[in-house]
Amino acid sequence: MRFHQSPQLCLAHLPSQDDWLSLPGYDVSSLNPGILHIGMGAFHRAHQCTFFERLANSGETACGVFGVSLQSARVHEALERQDHLYSLTTLDGVEPVQVMGCIRRSVGPDQLDQALAFFDSAELKLVTLTVTEKAYGDPDTDMARFLIEGLRRRASVDLSLVVASCDNLVGNGNRLRDLVLESLADEPVVRHWVETNVRFPNSMVDSITPRVTDDRLHKVGLRLGVVDEVPVQREPFVQWVLESCELSLDLASVGVEIVPDVAPYETLKLRILNASHSLMAYAGPLLGHATVHDAVSDHLLAPVVERFMHEMASQLELPATIDVDAYIQTTLARFSNPGVQHQLLQIAEDGSSKLRERVVPALSSESDSPLLCLPIVFWIEFVRRRKEEGHAVIDAHAEALDGEPGAMVKFLGIGDDRQVTYWIEELQKNGIEAFLGECIV
Ligand code: CS2
């Protein structure tokens, strides 16, 4: 097959630009790394790199990315084979596939010394991270050890730094700073230096980024005429809201929204978009659906999702400038995009960490609405069914999740399990169709 015989994407095998394909509009080999990114997954390469690529295209020469993979060398090695080029497909069929050049260097878990040496350099302006929710609770993770060692080195050369978490947590920057400062408790000099010289801005990041399938790999290969081992894809919508901080890279000029307080944006997104994603991720498979598009088209589930969003919104205290109804309509339209084949099982992963961020905080506010606890109710039933059917439950705490409602609710840190337990019983007694159509009204 032609696809397999094609050469691999790299500087020597750049496809030609046409209406359907865009190439870096700058000299890739003259772009210097000024950003160190930890966590080279698809979200980083589809989201933050969109903005870094725009910067490079606008003439900035210090916005190259030095990528660090802490867990696996797979992406790093593939990128090395491709001179760090890869392609981004926007799932609307209108925008050209974009060959991205902003990643200029990368290392895998065995070469972290090279990345740590970058902390000594004045060229390093910004550290960004996408390491997922589960990395933030524990100072003894690869991420925490790496970052703290980097900051020790930075302190020794006394160069200030911005470290921006791009993970899906409320107060992501504050939490990262707390984790770092806690880990430096026995090193008062470095700790004080970090407190004074390192900014950890909070941020809200948003773009739906479905995992690449074999079908996409094949289509991208045909479009490029060369093999890209590590393409990424995302919906057209992309948003990055960052707390203001002193940064020599002009991110605002390429669409990053710089605001004094990110909290309202973070809360809105987590409680409406992400929480309803989780609701569908666990309810959808119980109805036989595989994708978000299918789940949000279901005549029983769709109205419940919309009511859930409004109920969540009613719990939030938001500035008058945010139009929540418009936000809900836009989010529903994004979910309904038929070009975005976002697998529910992808969203269902790591439920125990995700639900703690997106749903549990809404339950601690005074509310009797059964709607708010639905993602947890469906999660428990989903886990029970997956185990019963002999499937693996993908979750860092999978062994602690046994499908027993009381224990799982406690695991999420919810004190009172009565409401969840009641609705689980109703769900199991009536079946999901009757539960959605008659019980939750
Ligand atoms: C999703 C998110 O997988 C999930 O948990 O809810 O990845 C979601 O697609 C992004 O946060 C959208 O910005």
Side-chain angles (χ1 to χ4, degrees):
M1 202 163 57
R2 182 178 170 277
F3 175 63
H4 289 297
Q5 289 159 358
S6 307
Q8 187 151 9
L9 175 64
C10 63
L11 288 171
H13 290 121
L14 267 181
S16 18
Q17 172 140 333
D18 58 26
D19 289 351
W20 298 104
L21 187 71
S22 77
L23 298 177
Y26 54 93
D27 175 11
V28 170
S29 42
S30 312
L31 185 67
N32 300 312
I35 300 156
L36 182 137
H37 183 82
I38 308 173
M40 295 295 289
F43 187 71
H44 165 65
R45 287 179 292 124
H47 181 277
Q48 296 103 67
C49 286
T50 291
F51 297 92
F52 301 149
E53 191 73 16
R54 286 181 193 162
L55 259 187
N57 275 319
S58 75
E60 172 62 80
T61 54
C63 62
V65 176
F66 186 141
V68 182
S69 288
L70 293 172
Q71 309 284 328
S72 141
R74 189 189 74 84
V75 173
H76 149 68
E77 286 170 357
L79 283 172
E80 280 217 314
R81 285 191 283 275
Q82 301 186 176
D83 293 327
H84 292 93
L85 302 175
Y86 66 97
S87 66
L88 166 69
T89 300
T90 307
L91 298 167
D92 60 0
V94 178
E95 288 186 37
V97 171
Q98 192 178 2
V99 174
M100 309 282 280
C102 67
I103 300 182
R104 285 295 83 230
R105 214 181 144 183
S106 64
V107 290
D110 296 337
Q111 304 153 301
L112 297 183
D113 282 353
Q114 295 172 36
L116 287 169
F118 193 25
F119 280 84
D120 301 344
S121 164
E123 305 291 303
L124 174 64
K125 316 233 162 5
L126 170 67
V127 173
T128 50
L129 297 90
T130 46
V131 288
T132 79
E133 295 89 337
K134 54 185 187 257
Y136 285 75
D138 182 0
D140 196 27
T141 58
D142 293 340
M143 176 280 279
R145 278 190 294 275
F146 172 81
L147 181 59
I148 286 157
E149 184 52 26
L151 292 175
R152 283 192 193 105
R153 291 184 71 140
R154 193 74 177 176
S156 69
V157 291
D158 195 20
L159 291 166
S160 63
L161 189 61
V162 175
V163 179
S165 162
C166 299
D167 281 303
N168 230 351
L169 294 85
V170 169
N172 50 11
N174 297 345
R175 280 160 74 170
L176 187 60
R177 186 192 55 220
D178 291 350
L179 187 82
V180 167
L181 294 180
E182 195 186 308
S183 305
L184 289 171
D186 298 333
E187 296 169 66
V189 177
V190 182
R191 187 188 147 104
H192 178 70
W193 184 89
V194 169
E195 273 178 314
T196 323
N197 295 287
V198 183
R199 293 283 158 267
F200 294 90
N202 293 305
S203 71
M204 187 279 266
V205 287
D206 192 5
S207 190
I208 292 171
T209 310
R211 202 165 279 154
V212 165
T213 55
D214 287 348
D215 180 49
R216 171 63 56 203
L217 270 176
H218 185 66
K219 283 192 180 133
V220 163
L222 290 178
R223 173 70 59 85
L224 298 176
V226 288
V227 175
D228 178 2
E229 283 184 66
V230 279
V232 292
Q233 55 180 8
R234 65 162 167 78
E235 63 168 339
F237 182 98
V238 59
Q239 187 180 24
W240 187 359
V241 185
L242 183 68
E243 188 177 341
S244 23
C245 59
E246 229 162 81
L247 189 61
S248 56
L249 296 169
D250 189 2
L251 291 175
S253 69
V254 288
V256 178
E257 295 164 59
I258 310 282
V259 301
D261 182 14
V262 176
Y265 297 89
E266 286 175 325
T267 321
L268 187 68
K269 190 225 162 189
L270 276 159
R271 302 271 183 95
I272 293 182
L273 186 149
N274 292 118
S276 47
H277 248 176
S278 293
L279 169 53
M280 289 185 285
Y282 302 121
L286 301 177
L287 288 157
H289 299 310
T291 65
V292 171
H293 172 262
D294 294 346
V296 83
S297 313
D298 184 286
H299 73 289
L300 290 171
L301 187 53
V304 173
V305 171
E306 188 163 352
R307 283 175 47 219
F308 172 81
M309 288 179 166
H310 283 285
E311 188 63 36
M312 271 288 186
S314 71
Q315 306 291 309
L316 303 177
E317 283 176 28
L318 294 169
T321 46
I322 294 186
D323 181 344
V324 181
D325 289 338
Y327 184 84
I328 291 176
Q329 289 318 313
T330 307
T331 306
L332 287 168
R334 290 169 62 193
F335 289 170
S336 305
N337 181 345
V340 180
Q341 292 291 312
H342 199 185
Q343 298 294 316
L344 295 167
L345 288 181
Q346 178 184 344
I347 304 169
E349 292 175 10
D350 286 320
S352 66
S353 314
K354 290 179 179 174
L355 292 169
R356 262 184 231 207
E357 299 297 331
R358 11 184 115 167
V359 179
V360 174
L363 302 181
S364 39
S365 48
E366 302 293 307
S367 164
D368 291 319
S369 168
L371 284 170
L372 296 183
C373 68
L374 282 186
I376 297 174
V377 170
F378 289 122
W379 173 61
I380 293 171
E381 181 59 5
F382 169 87
V383 169
R384 191 188 69 73
R385 289 263 196 109
R386 295 288 291 176
K387 293 209 161 175
E388 192 178 271
E389 290 162 5
H391 297 295
V393 172
I394 302 179
D395 192 300
H397 302 284
E399 74 298 337
L401 311 175
D402 56 6
E404 200 282 299
M408 287 180 67
V409 169
K410 285 216 170 51
F411 192 80
L412 292 180
I414 302 169
D416 185 350
D417 66 357
R418 279 172 300 182
Q419 199 175 44
V420 174
T421 314
Y422 173 78
W423 289 110
I424 276 277
E425 277 167 16
E426 289 294 294
L427 173 62
Q428 290 175 347
K429 194 168 71 199
N430 296 288
I432 183 149
E433 279 90 358
F435 180 79
L436 290 170
E438 294 158 30
C439 305
I440 299 283
V441 283

